[in-house]
């Protein structure tokens, strides 16, 4: 696996430090309204981030699961966002925090946001670990952002290429010849 990574963009120690900072920000935001908070991770890319993040949160919360897909198999350019599994929890009147791995063109989060808004939550916020600043739409500003990154295809810490590299503990840039 290591030989497929061209360079490490964000080392594991820096990720952990930032996840703790994000959890503190989230705790401050929901300090008076964490009761009934539902966290909706966008599967499968956010699984590692989610697992680390929620274990830093000191209040009770629930997880609502839904699965969307934007990349099919061995592709690094996003296609149409497809809902693969419907949200498992009723969110009407609840505070909802969407957790995603990366905000790239914004197609996925736009689709998720309008899908969840229709279910009339009390509030809807978004937390992303990574944001590609060059491509993220100006009208979609996440409430919590881990790192702003350049426009390169990254893998590791949950992010995959063709299903692989999710278990790589750092965030790295895949060698371009592997997908070119
Ligand atoms: P959009 O373009 O909809 O993309 O904002 C968001 C979803 O696409 C995936 N994605 C990536 N996955 N490396 C990956 O492994 C990347 O550089 C990358 N860019 C986008 C990811 O699933 C994200 O939720």
């Amino acid at each position: 696996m290591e030989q497929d990574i061209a360079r490490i963009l964000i080392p594991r120690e820096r990720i952990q430090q930032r996840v703790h900072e994000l959890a503190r920000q989230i705790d401050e935001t929901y300090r008076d309204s964490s009761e009934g908070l539902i966290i909706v991770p966008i599967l499968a890319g956010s699984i590692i981030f989610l697992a680390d993040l929620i274990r830093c949160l000191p209040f009770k919360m629930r997880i609502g699961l839904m699965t969307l897909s934007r990349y099919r198999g061995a592709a690094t350019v996003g296609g149409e966002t497809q809902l693969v599994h419907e949200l498992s929890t009723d969110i009407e009147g609840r505070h909802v925090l969407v957790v995603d791995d990366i905000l790239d063109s914004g197609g996925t989060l736009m689709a998720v946001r309008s899908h969840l808004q229709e279910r009339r939550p009390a509030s809807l916020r978004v937390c992303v670990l990574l944001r590609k600043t060059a491509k993220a739409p100006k009208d979609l500003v996440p409430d919590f952002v881990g790192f702003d990154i350049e426009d390169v295809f990254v893998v590791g810490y949950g992010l995959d290429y063709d299903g692989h590299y999710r278990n790589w503990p750092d965030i790295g840039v895949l060698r371009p010849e592997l997908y070119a």
Side-chain angles (χ1 to χ4, degrees):
M1 184 159 59
E2 193 170 351
Q3 65 276 12
D4 296 350
I5 310 293
R7 65 188 162 97
I8 292 177
L9 195 65
I10 311 171
R12 59 198 79 178
E13 300 78 15
R14 181 73 190 105
I15 299 172
Q16 289 310 319
Q17 189 189 3
R18 189 70 187 122
V19 167
H20 279 83
E21 289 167 7
L22 284 174
R24 272 197 295 277
Q25 286 176 24
I26 292 169
D27 183 30
E28 274 167 30
T29 303
Y30 289 102
R31 187 155 290 161
D32 300 321
S33 60
S34 69
E35 184 72 30
L37 178 69
I38 298 177
I39 295 194
V40 178
I42 306 305
L43 301 176
S46 67
I47 51 172
I48 311 278
F49 175 40
L50 175 83
D52 283 346
L53 182 71
I54 62 174
R55 285 180 295 168
C56 298
L57 295 176
F59 51 76
K60 287 199 285 186
M61 37 106 359
R62 289 193 174 89
I63 294 177
L65 292 178
M66 69 189 292
T67 311
L68 287 114
S69 179
R70 187 141 168 79
Y71 290 83
R72 287 260 164 252
T76 58
V77 178
E80 201 177 312
T81 303
Q82 292 178 0
L83 185 64
V84 181
H85 293 295
E86 174 63 83
L87 186 66
S88 61
T89 316
D90 183 14
I91 59 166
E92 186 167 346
R94 305 284 186 165
H95 295 291
V96 172
L97 176 65
V98 174
V99 171
D100 203 3
D101 53 356
I102 185 165
L103 170 58
D104 191 331
S105 69
T108 303
L109 276 173
M110 295 272 209
V112 169
R113 205 170 54 170
S114 61
H115 183 78
L116 295 179
Q117 285 289 14
E118 281 171 22
R119 281 150 187 76
R120 309 197 316 167
S123 71
L124 184 58
R125 292 189 176 91
V126 172
C127 173
V128 294
L129 179 65
L130 307 174
R131 171 172 59 184
K132 288 188 184 173
T133 31
K135 291 166 87 180
K138 300 284 171 275
D139 58 343
L140 205 172
V141 181
D143 302 272
F144 309 96
V145 178
F147 302 94
D148 281 319
I149 63 164
E150 59 204 274
D151 187 15
V152 285
F153 194 79
V154 289
V155 295
Y157 197 69
L159 292 135
D160 77 304
Y161 172 66
D162 198 15
H164 292 133
Y165 311 107
R166 292 197 199 277
N167 57 325
W168 176 251
D170 307 296
I171 293 171
V173 180
L174 194 63
R175 279 176 37 210
E177 63 268 31
L178 292 174
Y179 59 84

